[in-house]
Amino acid sequence: MNSEINFDKSPDGLVPAVIQDAQTGKVLMLGYMNRAAYDKTVAEHIVTFFSRSKQRLWTKGETSNNFLHVQEIMVDCDGDTLLIKTNPAGPVCHTGADTCFDEINRGKGQFLNYLQDIIHDRRVNPSDKSYTTTLFNRGVNKIAQKVGEEAVELVIEAKDDNDDLFKGEAADLLFHFLVLLEQKRMDLDDIVAVLQARHQKQ
């Protein structure tokens, strides 16, 4: 990827790096990297910038331990801007805020898209060691039956006061629902589109 980045476009050899939470999709901050900062980031999988005020490499979290753990690095179409998807170890802004734009970084819903991709991979690239693959091997009727069973278990737990068990059953139901969607060759976005259409009619 290094050859795709044009550090020479800027007189100071810096390119902007947009930092995004890999799970929530929130933009966390903007920093700048030179080639050395980029190489260190790639090697250590922790975001390192070039600090324009300190005129040195600066690893985000070197004093607070709120490191930005790299999940993916992307380069824009002009080769002069980076998008770095990370898992932040804590608040990103020096003020203590979740982001440098004073937004609350919440909502892990994007993880469902990531999980959906894994489920799809288990269908097209079966593995004998994968529970998900065994579900696909059983066919749509068994998968649908499993969704029904998990729904019943969730209803039963809803009547009790054990929040952990309730969340566990809710997670089981959601997972098997995603498997059923994949078996039906549907995407979670298809279901969201139906909800959005209904919302617009209200």
Side-chain angles (χ1 to χ4, degrees), residues 152-202:
V152 171
E153 291 176 9
L154 179 64
V155 170
I156 293 173
E157 287 300 336
K159 297 175 180 292
D160 296 326
D161 295 323
N162 191 319
D163 290 346
D164 288 338
L165 288 178
F166 176 79
K167 287 187 286 187
E169 294 299 343
D172 288 344
L173 175 59
L174 187 52
F175 170 78
H176 289 91
F177 172 65
L178 291 176
V179 173
L180 182 60
L181 283 182
E182 176 63 29
Q183 179 68 24
K184 298 289 291 182
R185 307 300 192 269
M186 293 184 187
D187 191 276
L188 189 59
D189 287 346
D190 297 327
I191 311 305
V192 172
V194 173
L195 292 173
Q196 289 175 326
R198 290 177 179 177
H199 175 71
Q200 292 172 356
K201 292 178 181 179
Q202 294 179 0

Side-chain angles (χ1 to χ4, degrees), residues 14-180:
L14 300 178
V15 297
V18 178
I19 308 301
Q20 181 184 43
D21 189 304
Q23 295 194 41
T24 66
K26 285 281 187 183
V27 174
L28 303 176
M29 65 175 293
L30 173 69
Y32 291 86
M33 289 185 178
N34 59 9
R35 189 176 297 276
Y38 172 81
D39 289 342
K40 184 175 173 63
T41 297
V42 170
E44 298 181 355
H45 303 288
I46 294 176
V47 173
T48 290
F49 299 110
F50 181 83
S51 171
R52 295 176 296 172
S53 59
K54 300 173 183 177
Q55 286 295 298
R56 66 170 177 85
L57 296 187
W58 166 62
T59 298
K60 176 64 178 174
E62 63 185 25
T63 56
S64 67
N65 289 323
N66 292 336
F67 297 106
L68 296 169
H69 298 277
V70 176
Q71 294 298 303
E72 185 178 6
I73 299 178
M74 304 176 70
V75 186
D76 80 334
C77 56
D78 292 324
D80 58 6
T81 303
L82 294 168
L83 173 64
I84 304 181
K85 299 182 180 182
T86 70
N87 286 325
V92 172
C93 186
H94 70 281
T95 64
D98 286 353
T99 81
C100 289
F101 303 97
D102 200 26
E103 288 189 300
I104 297 175
N105 185 25
R106 65 184 179 190
K108 304 294 184 182
Q110 190 164 332
F111 176 75
L112 293 178
N113 298 116
Y114 171 76
L115 183 58
Q116 198 171 228
D117 290 340
I118 293 178
I119 291 171
H120 172 75
D121 183 71
R122 294 295 187 271
R123 182 178 65 79
V124 298
N125 298 302
S127 169
D128 293 337
K129 299 179 181 180
S130 168
Y131 169 71
T132 308
T133 295
T134 64
L135 289 174
F136 287 126
N137 290 339
R138 293 173 184 171
V140 65
N141 289 339
K142 288 295 184 181
I143 296 174
Q145 178 181 338
K146 188 65 177 173
V147 172
E149 292 171 358
E150 297 296 347
V152 171
E153 291 176 9
L154 179 64
V155 170
I156 293 173
E157 287 300 336
K159 297 175 180 292
D160 296 326
D161 295 323
N162 191 319
D163 290 346
D164 288 338
L165 288 178
F166 176 79
K167 287 187 286 187
E169 294 299 343
D172 288 344
L173 175 59
L174 187 52
F175 170 78
H176 289 91
F177 172 65
L178 291 176
V179 173
L180 182 60

